[in-house]
């Protein structure tokens, strides 16, 4: 990839707050890393990278999550005063959000340096199938006779999890109810729903189906361009120079396979790529359901390549 003329660059104009990254590299205690952890897209390797490049006391022990949950849209962590106070009081310089859609308000956190990593969305889906269903590396045990083929597993899991177009939903900035209003939303047993439902921030996307409104897609792209560092899992071997430039980290990333010791395998390892593990019909089903994530991913690749080459 060669650096294109400035008028043809998708990453221009640069809307990142570069002063925050400079403060982070300089060791400013008020600057911190906000890691948007996308599931099955190299997130564990990013946390490992942080622990090898930052003083131990500055990185939360539990998967880089100061709340021990990775849910930065969930009260009280959704309140910027609480988040910033917790980081200051514990001398932490990193937080990670994995289980909540990214709140729009957190894009303006003072001192935040934003980092994420993305993987081809169809490979990400297939990795989810392999990780949680075929190999049960999430700790859940299931008899082999109950294993489902991908076409049966996928719609069930999509319905009960973050669903299709996961990337766009994460970055589109759709607002949540206020903490006060959230307290009023109860489940059938009368408990406050968000305290019992790990995926509560994704329920607002139930009506989306396979469609995405243009304004939501546009905001997701805008949010992504504000991230100081957008890494691509497939290009991670090439990413260290840019990681060092933005964060000042000298140790390069390594391949990390989460919960590998929990993997249940009887006939060798399953394919790691969707094109190797899925039939053409399965591939087309997945691509049709996640068309906007495919667009988003390729936009992210272009931003990465421009920033790397230019």
């Amino acid at each position: 990839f060669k650096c294109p003329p400035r008028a043809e660059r998708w990453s221009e104009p640069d809307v990142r707050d570069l002063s925050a990254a400079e403060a982070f590299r300089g060791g400013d205690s008020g600057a911190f890393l906000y890691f948007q952890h996308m599931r099955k897209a190299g997130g564990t390797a990013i946390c490992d990278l942080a622990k090898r490049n930052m003083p131990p006391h500055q990185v939360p022990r539990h998967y880089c999550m100061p709340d021990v949950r990775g849910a930065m849209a969930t009260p009280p962590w959704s309140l910027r005063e609480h988040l910033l106070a917790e980081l200051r009081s514990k001398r932490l310089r990193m937080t990670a959000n994995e289980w909540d859609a990214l709140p729009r308000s957190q894009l303006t956190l003072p001192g935040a340096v934003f980092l994420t990593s993305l993987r081809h969305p169809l490979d990400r889906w297939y990795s989810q199938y392999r990780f949680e269903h075929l190999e049960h590396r999430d700790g859940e045990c299931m008899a082999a006779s109950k294993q489902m083929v991908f076409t049966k597993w996928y719609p069930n899991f999509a319905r009960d999890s973050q669903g299709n177009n996961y990337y766009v939903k994460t970055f589109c900035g759709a607002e949540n109810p206020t903490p006060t209003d959230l307290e009023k939303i109860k489940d059938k047993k009368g408990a406050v729903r968000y305290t019992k439902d790990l995926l509560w921030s994704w329920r607002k996307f139930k009506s989306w189906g396979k469609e995405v409104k243009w304004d939501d897609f546009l905001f997701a792209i805008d949010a992504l361009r504000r991230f100081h560092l957008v890494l691509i899992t497939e290009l991670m071997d090439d990413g260290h120079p840019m990681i060092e430039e933005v964060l000042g980290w000298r140790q390069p990333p390594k391949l990390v396979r989460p919960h590998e010791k929990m993997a249940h395998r009887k006939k060798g390892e399953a394919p790691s790529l969707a094109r190797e593990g899925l039939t053409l019909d399965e591939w087309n089903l997945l691509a049709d359901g996640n068309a906007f994530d495919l667009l988003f991913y390729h936009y992210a690749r272009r931003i990465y390549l421009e920033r790397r080459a230019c």
Side-chain angles (χ1 to χ4, degrees), residues 129 148-156 278-279 281-282 285:
Y129 171 63
M148 292 180 279
V149 295
F150 183 82
T151 47
K152 186 175 181 180
W153 172 88
Y154 164 63
N156 291 330
L278 301 179
T279 65
D281 287 342
E282 290 170 337
L285 173 71

Side-chain angles (χ1 to χ4, degrees), residues 8 17 31 35 48 56 71 94 120 144 151-152 171 174 176 180 188-189 238 244 248 254 283-284 289 296 308:
E8 298 177 10
D17 179 6
F35 174 42
D48 169 77
M94 183 173 185
H120 191 289
T151 47
K152 186 175 181 180
F171 288 91
N176 298 310
T180 301
K188 294 180 179 180
K189 295 183 179 180
D238 174 69
E244 186 171 12
K254 295 181 179 179
W283 173 277
N284 288 333
F296 187 85
R308 179 76 173 89

Side-chain angles (χ1 to χ4, degrees), residues 21-83:
E22 183 179 1
F24 182 85
R25 292 192 302 272
D28 187 332
S29 60
F32 65 97
L33 191 62
Y34 189 113
F35 174 42
Q36 181 58 49
H37 182 155
M38 306 306 296
R39 303 205 68 208
K40 312 314 304 165
T44 304
I46 298 296
C47 185
D48 169 77
L49 181 64
K51 290 180 178 180
R52 288 189 287 108
N53 281 278
M54 296 173 66
H57 70 273
Q58 294 182 357
V59 183
R61 293 183 180 181
H62 185 78
Y63 296 102
C64 300
M65 303 168 178
D67 63 338
V68 198
R69 182 177 178 180
M72 292 294 103
T74 300
W77 295 89
S78 57
L79 303 173
R80 64 170 57 202
E81 296 82 4
H82 177 86
L83 170 59

Side-chain angles (χ1 to χ4, degrees), residues 236-272:
M236 196 67 78
D237 288 345
D238 174 69
H240 183 238
M242 194 157 59
I243 294 171
E244 186 171 12
E245 177 186 346
V246 175
L247 302 179
W249 290 355
R250 296 184 177 180
Q251 292 293 323
K254 295 181 179 179
L255 177 64
V256 178
R257 306 185 70 181
H259 308 302
E260 177 63 14
K261 294 182 180 180
M262 295 183 180
H264 292 260
R265 302 188 185 109
K266 292 187 176 181
K267 297 181 180 180
E269 193 168 334
S272 59

Side-chain angles (χ1 to χ4, degrees), residues 124-125 154-169 199 202-203 205-206 208-209 289-290 293:
R124 194 203 71 79
W125 263 113
Y154 164 63
N156 291 330
F157 190 86
R159 183 186 63 247
D160 297 330
S161 66
Q162 292 92 340
N164 293 326
N165 296 307
Y166 166 54
Y167 290 161
V168 177
K169 290 174 179 176
L199 300 178
W202 305 93
R203 305 309 180 197
F205 299 118
K206 280 289 187 180
W208 276 31
N290 295 275
D293 262 11

Side-chain angles (χ1 to χ4, degrees), residues 47-241:
C47 185
D48 169 77
L49 181 64
K51 290 180 178 180
R52 288 189 287 108
N53 281 278
M54 296 173 66
H57 70 273
Q58 294 182 357
V59 183
R61 293 183 180 181
H62 185 78
Y63 296 102
C64 300
M65 303 168 178
D67 63 338
V68 198
R69 182 177 178 180
M72 292 294 103
T74 300
W77 295 89
S78 57
L79 303 173
R80 64 170 57 202
E81 296 82 4
H82 177 86
L83 170 59
L84 296 175
E86 284 289 315
L87 295 179
R88 283 195 300 268
S89 66
K90 297 177 181 177
R91 297 192 302 159
L92 297 172
R93 299 189 67 215
M94 183 173 185
T95 186
N97 179 47
E98 178 180 3
W99 290 102
D100 288 344
L102 177 67
R104 183 172 302 183
S105 58
Q106 294 193 348
L107 288 173
T108 56
L109 280 168
V113 177
F114 293 95
L115 162 66
T116 195
S117 63
L118 301 176
R119 182 181 191 175
H120 191 289
L122 306 197
D123 287 334
R124 194 203 71 79
W125 263 113
Y126 186 74
S127 178
Q128 193 92 47
Y129 171 63
R130 174 180 165 182
F131 181 86
E132 295 191 3
H133 186 67
L134 296 183
E135 299 181 354
H136 311 297
R137 280 194 272 157
D138 60 347
E140 181 182 351
C141 292
M142 184 182 293
S145 60
K146 294 184 178 180
Q147 284 188 354
M148 292 180 279
V149 295
F150 183 82
T151 47
K152 186 175 181 180
W153 172 88
Y154 164 63
N156 291 330
F157 190 86
R159 183 186 63 247
D160 297 330
S161 66
Q162 292 92 340
N164 293 326
N165 296 307
Y166 166 54
Y167 290 161
V168 177
K169 290 174 179 176
T170 298
F171 288 91
C172 75
E175 294 292 352
N176 298 310
T178 66
T180 301
D181 289 337
L182 278 174
E183 292 290 334
K184 300 176 183 178
I185 303 174
K186 308 293 180 65
D187 62 17
K188 294 180 179 180
K189 295 183 179 180
V192 177
R193 183 178 296 173
Y194 82 86
T195 63
K196 304 293 184 180
D197 183 5
L198 182 63
L199 300 178
W200 70 271
S201 74
W202 305 93
R203 305 309 180 197
K204 57 181 174 285
F205 299 118
K206 280 289 187 180
S207 63
W208 276 31
K210 295 188 295 184
E211 298 180 353
V212 173
K213 292 182 179 179
W214 172 245
D215 286 346
D216 290 323
F217 185 81
L218 190 63
F219 189 90
I221 290 295
D222 180 71
L224 184 74
R225 293 179 67 241
R226 296 177 188 277
F227 269 60
H228 298 80
L229 199 54
V230 177
L231 298 173
I232 303 299
T233 304
E234 292 85 353
L235 304 177
M236 196 67 78
D237 288 345
D238 174 69
H240 183 238

